[in-house]
Amino acid sequence: MTNAVLDISGVSKRFGDNLANDNISLSLGRGEIVALLGENGAGKTTLMSILFGHYVPDSGKVLIDGQELPPGKPRSAIRAGIGMVHQHFSLAANLTVLENVMAGTESLWRLRSDTDAARQKLEDISTRFGLIVDPDARLGDLSVGEQQRVEILKALYNDARILVLDEPTAVLTNLEAERLFRTLKDMAREGLSLIFISHKLDEVMAAADRIIVLRGGRKVAERPAKETNKAELAELMIGRKVARPVREPSTPGEVALKVTGVSVSIDGVERLKSIDLSLRAGEILGIIGVSGNGQATLAHLLSGTVRRDKGDIVLFGEPVGDLSVEGAVQAGIGRIPEDRNNEGAIGEMAIWENAVLERLPRFSRHGLVDRSAGQAFARKIIDAFDVRGGRPATRTRLLSGGNMQKLILGRNLIDRPRILLAAQPARGLDEGAVAAVHERLLQARRDGTAVLLVSEDLEEVMALADRIQAIVNGRLSPAVAADKVNATKLGLMMAGEWNEEHEISHAL
Amino acid sequence: MSAFSAPFLPTLVRRERASLAATLLAPPVALAVATVLNLGLYLLIGRDPVAVVYAMLFEPFLSWASFSEVLLKTGPLLLIAQGLAIGFRAKVFNIGAEGQFILGAIFASAIPIWFPQATGQWIWPMMLLLGVLGGALWASITAFWRVRLNANEILVSLMLSLVAAQLLNYLLLGPWKDPNGFNFPQSVMFQYDAMVPVLIAGTRVNVSLLLTLALSIAAWLVMQKSFLGYKLQVGGLAPRAAGYAGFNEGWAIWLSLLIGGGAAGLAGAAEVAGPIGQLQRSISTGYGYAAIIVAYLGGLHPIGIIASALFMAALYIGGDNAMVSANLPIAAVRVFQGSLLLAYLIAIAFVRYRLEWHRPIYRSKP
């Protein structure tokens, strides 16, 4: 590529023993979107930090329009037209959009700022790239998606021609992510060149023209998006073949959990509206829906942390009224919370203390915690569930997300629960960990556990669940058999259109 | 959404793990820093720093008479601090131990004031029990409003301390004033059986010190070993995880405040039934506030608190000495206490966090 706007050639960077970037080269054409794909620690962010002048490379150079960029000088990078949109925004919540965009662009010695010209420039950029934001809105009042738009605008305001986005969808909902990708494509059409960093296969396939895969600090592959597929990318990214497991046919057993007509209000807002579901031993029931439609409340209801307004919950044939946490654990309900960092585990406590968290009564005698029994329990989980990176006394926050999730899965599955409640169990994990979590859920199903899987990931639900219900605005659709639906039909269900599915649910 | 971070300024980054050595070193380093700063202050107000340091930090340990006074002061500080530390670890900030202390003293005094003729060895234990009750009741007001309306417990408990001080004034100027006391705002002197027995002959150290040490061991058992302490700690570290695990937050607030209030009330009772021997305005010389410093200086750890209580008590006695022998104003002692806490909090912040300097990032066009 001769008319590349950006050329990175032979860049290496070492941190101590760790070779973060090993002789990486890449080029970016005008109006092109390149995705930098790799797992956490593959070297993506290091490479971009070198591009932006935060780090000085040990060897190699960066060329912009054929001109070499002096290393380690962010100011030169900005002057050359590189803009960076960080995962964590560097914006001030108490300023307006316009003030945020202007911040740092004017000389300190000028007495008054030229707001009118700035407003004009911002509006021009806004309309040209379709990034519509009210310039006078206070930043703190905007949604995360809109804040990101401001961050992008700010880079464009500084005349960026090459835009680097670091994991731009990490903080966005699915809908906002789709909108972002449409915007990125518009921007590319207008002549901007974009690099975005990601570890999600779906989005690099959806948004990029070309995909560069990094692994262990090395560039392992480069593919035009049209000539590759997710399976190949996953294998390149991880370095071995990982196939997510898929359920095999089975016959479900008795009804373990039956919920009829349950409504739940939280702070006066009705989050669940007269929902019905029934869950059998040895099956996985998938609850699919766009985040914020009541699935969190459903998971909390069955975990015993919220109370119902009306309706009945029947566990193993016996009405239970409201579930309490203790009651749920004693009844053999394993619980995987949606938010593993805040609800599932306490980072500042030891692994063993997290292992016994909900099962404390079992590990206390005369009111004292039996430390050695707790540690033995943790050791059992670590061995059986392949939790890497810690011993029972290690602080839990030192574990990676995947290993933390294995710990949480382990403490629930090691007792062979009769019901397993899994809320977004693979969210935010890398591909290898996703496969491991899925395998555990299927193993629980084989062992006769009734699994309720709450997820936003269509693919995950279609691969694992026997039956699927959609949750929309607090209402739950009737169940459909997973092998009788396709993604289109599920998409319609997630949009609230399920009237025609009635026959199927009656047939079941 | 991250805060706006100015270029050139370093940010605090949490350490992977705090080293044990640094944790243990923090209190002595803080003490050294506070001492040096205060020496400068003494020089500025024209006092001889060597004499002040000798009087404040050494004299309390040099004679049995003054050391026994140190032990006497250790009692209430230790007791209140142990109770508060349990709450602090659960992130329930009871700042009103002073008021709970006063209520404990008032409740305990009811027996000797209403029944001055009563005799029998049941009296002083009953007074101590009433003290616990009084302190816990006063703290329960804070707990109630916190759980019911989410009213900030720091403000409520602190303001209730002022109410408690006025309640004490009212009693001493009105119904409980000693009729033969020349109109001084104080109660009658308590009878013999209303006094906690002396432990070491020839000193004022009494049996309540043993009780305090026993309760310190109990506090250690609760915080480090028990189911209950574990639940409180989870609540403090990660409230949402505690809720998910089924630990009730309201319960933790009630328990923290009742324990803190009860301990402070017991300390108040032990003061009036011990060295003071009557109810008077100056029953507390800021024990309730000093105990907050003691609790943090001891790392909120029951064993650490024993050491810090002893130290803080020595500082009280040493400050008294310095007032007499080096002509130091009483405020200087408070300044020392305050700067010590400040130095410790800064030191402990560096044990847990490290500074990270950023290369300035220019976002502007030149």
Side-chain angles (χ1 to χ4, degrees), chain A residues 202 230 244 288 457-464:
Chain A
D202 288 309
K230 285 200 301 194
R244 293 189 180 185
I288 187 127
D457 183 347
L458 262 180
E459 206 183 328
E460 171 175 271
V461 172
M462 286 174 69
L464 301 179

Side-chain angles (χ1 to χ4, degrees), chain A residues 36 50 63 149 151-152 154 174 185 227-229 267 276 307-308 325 331 416 446 482 493:
Chain A
L36 216 49
I50 288 171
L63 301 171
R149 229 172 288 159
E151 182 89 1
I152 295 174
K154 184 167 175 151
N174 290 351
K185 286 185 169 162
E227 293 168 25
T228 183
N229 55 51
D267 296 331
D276 299 313
R307 306 269 159 269
R308 87 222 131 90
V325 172
R416 294 266 184 117
R446 279 194 288 277
M493 284 170 67

Side-chain angles (χ1 to χ4, degrees), chain A residues 78 89 104 335 353 360 369, chain B residues 2 225 230 244 362-364:
Chain A
I78 290 172
F89 311 140
R335 310 175 312 145
E353 287 172 305
L360 260 182
V369 177
Chain B
S2 70
K225 301 282 172 193
Y230 177 91
Y244 192 78
Y362 300 95
R363 312 195 123 261
S364 60

Side-chain angles (χ1 to χ4, degrees), chain A residues 301-320:
Chain A
L301 172 75
L302 300 176
S303 316
T305 53
V306 298
R307 306 269 159 269
R308 87 222 131 90
D309 297 339
K310 60 182 171 56
D312 300 305
I313 301 173
V314 179
L315 261 187
F316 312 115
E318 282 185 35
V320 288

Side-chain angles (χ1 to χ4, degrees), chain B residues 29 40 61 69 101 140 192-193 215-216 232 239 300 318 344 359:
Chain B
V29 168
F61 299 98
E69 287 297 300
F101 177 95
S140 71
Y192 179 76
D193 282 341
L215 287 174
S216 292
L232 287 174
L300 300 185
Y344 175 73
R359 278 167 171 280

